[in-house]
Amino acid sequence: MSSTILVVEDEIAISELISVNLRLAGHTVLAADSAERARSQVAAVLPDLILLDWMLPGMPGIDLLRQLRGDPRTREIPVIMLTARSAEADKIHGLDVGADDYLTKPFSPKELNARIKAVMRRRAPQLTDDAVEIGGLRLEPSSHVVSGQGKPIDIGPTEFRLLHFFMTHPGRVYSRAQLLDQVWGDHVFVEERTIDVHIRRLRLALTPTGHQDLIETVRGAGYRMQQAA
Ligand code: CA
């Protein structure tokens, strides 16, 4: 699993320790020492996850979290709050405002990695390395291999990402605009009909093993991955 993680922490020693550990785990790390700096970082690059310290100079972490949750562009970013406070009331408050998890300092690198992995599995499974299988169609993110009933399937990089997203979110309908956001990414300007081109290519790639109908067209709404063949 390789993600872009924004670390918002004003204590430099802690921030560096976390960053080194995250880089060792294969992540790309962005750092901010205040909520205000974090906001401009997020405006430029949407991270896959934010580690957010509660006590910051200026705006507290909890206020930044509230702002992130109030903006459609940043609403879905997984956030883990970091804090030296261990009062149960603070945890409940943080989770109320929309934190995905909570870590009380000091914590071990092992614990941090485990929490990140758990939150990513829950919130953004398409960014994890877990293999997914539906109806005999299997996708392995770590080796970039797709196979149908054990036979390798030749697939382009965009179709791979599209299929990975669909397979980690089966049964749900996604509009073209949502697929653009989720698969092509933020700040990317692609026409919506480009999606149709890639869906067509994806179905073509899945045809030799008979998996083309797993991707359904939902008239007037978008596309959906069937839950089982
Ligand atoms: Ca702090």
Side-chain angles (χ1 to χ4, degrees):
M1 179 179 71
S2 170
S3 317
T4 300
I5 299 180
L6 173 60
V7 180
V8 189
E9 166 66 84
D10 59 308
E11 287 154 88
I12 300 302
I14 296 177
S15 173
E16 282 182 355
L17 199 68
I18 293 174
S19 300
V20 165
N21 171 55
L22 293 178
R23 285 196 187 97
L24 279 175
H27 301 293
T28 301
V29 181
L30 307 168
D33 60 3
S34 70
E36 290 79 1
R37 287 212 176 82
R39 278 176 63 187
S40 30
Q41 290 258 32
V42 170
V45 181
L46 211 53
D48 297 317
L49 183 139
I50 300 176
L51 295 177
L52 179 57
D53 188 28
W54 183 300
M55 298 287 280
L56 293 165
M59 189 198 293
I62 197 81
D63 287 357
L64 176 63
L65 176 61
R66 202 174 280 117
Q67 288 187 3
L68 293 170
R69 290 299 181 245
D71 179 348
R73 182 173 166 264
T74 55
R75 185 174 293 153
E76 299 295 323
I77 306 175
V79 174
I80 300 177
M81 294 288 298
L82 310 178
T83 186
R85 304 174 174 208
S86 56
E88 205 62 34
D90 283 351
K91 294 190 187 182
I92 291 163
H93 186 44
L95 295 171
D96 264 358
V97 174
D100 292 279
D101 203 353
Y102 218 97
L103 265 174
T104 305
K105 295 181 214 175
F107 47 81
S108 70
K110 202 175 158 188
E111 187 178 9
L112 176 64
N113 286 336
R115 296 290 189 95
I116 288 174
K117 208 158 187 176
V119 167
M120 295 298 271
R121 276 212 175 105
R122 200 167 72 233
R123 292 289 307 276
Q126 74 277 13
L127 297 175
T128 70
D129 273 344
D130 299 338
V132 270
E133 187 162 352
I134 292 176
L137 181 66
R138 186 177 168 83
L139 182 146
E140 290 165 42
S142 51
S143 54
H144 251 254
V145 168
V146 179
S147 57
Q149 329 290 9
K151 283 185 214 141
I153 290 173
D154 193 18
I155 192 167
T158 303
E159 288 72 33
F160 183 92
R161 289 207 313 278
L162 195 54
L163 182 62
H164 194 193
F165 180 76
F166 274 129
M167 289 184 78
T168 47
H169 300 81
R172 282 172 65 182
V173 181
Y174 289 93
S175 68
R176 288 168 179 81
Q178 285 173 318
L179 289 170
L180 275 178
D181 271 358
Q182 296 285 343
V183 179
W184 273 258
D186 182 53
H187 288 343
V188 175
F189 299 97
V190 182
E191 286 187 67
E192 290 195 1
R193 64 170 178 233
T194 305
I195 299 274
D196 301 335
V197 173
H198 287 284
I199 293 277
R200 211 150 45 228
R201 283 187 199 156
L202 176 57
R203 283 183 176 142
L204 204 62
L206 300 180
T207 300
T209 56
H211 290 97
Q212 68 281 3
D213 296 334
L214 280 179
I215 313 284
E216 294 177 287
T217 303
V218 182
R219 205 169 287 278
Y223 296 101
R224 171 175 57 203
M225 176 98 200
Q226 279 189 28
Q227 260 162 325

mmCIF file of all heavy atoms in Angstrom, residues 9-11 53 55 105, ligand 1:
data_model
loop_
_atom_site.group_PDB
_atom_site.id
_atom_site.type_symbol
_atom_site.label_atom_id
_atom_site.label_comp_id
_atom_site.label_asym_id
_atom_site.label_seq_id
_atom_site.Cartn_x
_atom_site.Cartn_y
_atom_site.Cartn_z
ATOM 1 N N GLU A 9 1.423 18.416 12.349
ATOM 2 C CA GLU A 9 1.978 18.288 13.703
ATOM 3 C C GLU A 9 3.012 19.385 13.887
ATOM 4 O O GLU A 9 3.884 19.574 13.040
ATOM 5 C CB GLU A 9 2.624 16.891 13.825
ATOM 6 C CG GLU A 9 3.532 16.690 15.009
ATOM 7 C CD GLU A 9 2.813 16.751 16.340
ATOM 8 O OE1 GLU A 9 2.251 15.724 16.763
ATOM 9 O OE2 GLU A 9 2.815 17.839 16.948
ATOM 10 N N ASP A 10 2.894 20.163 14.977
ATOM 11 C CA ASP A 10 3.807 21.291 15.196
ATOM 12 C C ASP A 10 5.077 20.888 15.942
ATOM 13 O O ASP A 10 6.058 21.619 15.924
ATOM 14 C CB ASP A 10 3.094 22.417 15.950
ATOM 15 C CG ASP A 10 2.579 21.957 17.298
ATOM 16 O OD1 ASP A 10 1.872 20.924 17.338
ATOM 17 O OD2 ASP A 10 2.883 22.601 18.314
ATOM 18 N N GLU A 11 5.053 19.726 16.611
ATOM 19 C CA GLU A 11 6.277 19.296 17.299
ATOM 20 C C GLU A 11 7.169 18.584 16.287
ATOM 21 O O GLU A 11 6.867 17.466 15.851
ATOM 22 C CB GLU A 11 5.931 18.368 18.462
ATOM 23 C CG GLU A 11 5.310 19.119 19.636
ATOM 24 C CD GLU A 11 4.415 18.239 20.482
ATOM 25 O OE1 GLU A 11 4.927 17.597 21.402
ATOM 26 O OE2 GLU A 11 3.212 18.183 20.177
ATOM 27 N N ASP A 53 -2.851 16.475 14.327
ATOM 28 C CA ASP A 53 -2.638 16.737 15.747
ATOM 29 C C ASP A 53 -3.762 17.634 16.283
ATOM 30 O O ASP A 53 -4.241 18.521 15.589
ATOM 31 C CB ASP A 53 -1.276 17.431 15.929
ATOM 32 C CG ASP A 53 -0.888 17.555 17.386
ATOM 33 O OD1 ASP A 53 -1.327 16.714 18.192
ATOM 34 O OD2 ASP A 53 -0.141 18.490 17.714
ATOM 35 N N MET A 55 -3.634 19.562 19.263
ATOM 36 C CA MET A 55 -3.105 20.820 19.796
ATOM 37 C C MET A 55 -2.105 21.419 18.811
ATOM 38 O O MET A 55 -1.001 20.912 18.651
ATOM 39 C CB MET A 55 -2.394 20.570 21.125
ATOM 40 C CG MET A 55 -3.305 20.019 22.219
ATOM 41 S SD MET A 55 -4.426 21.263 22.862
ATOM 42 C CE MET A 55 -3.320 22.132 23.976
ATOM 43 N N LYS A 105 -0.831 10.007 22.039
ATOM 44 C CA LYS A 105 0.631 9.995 22.123
ATOM 45 C C LYS A 105 1.056 9.541 23.516
ATOM 46 O O LYS A 105 0.380 9.914 24.481
ATOM 47 C CB LYS A 105 1.199 11.399 21.878
ATOM 48 C CG LYS A 105 0.944 11.924 20.487
ATOM 49 C CD LYS A 105 1.586 13.309 20.381
ATOM 50 C CE LYS A 105 0.787 14.215 19.500
ATOM 51 N NZ LYS A 105 1.290 15.587 19.460
HETATM 52 CA CA CA B 1 0.928 19.709 19.022
#
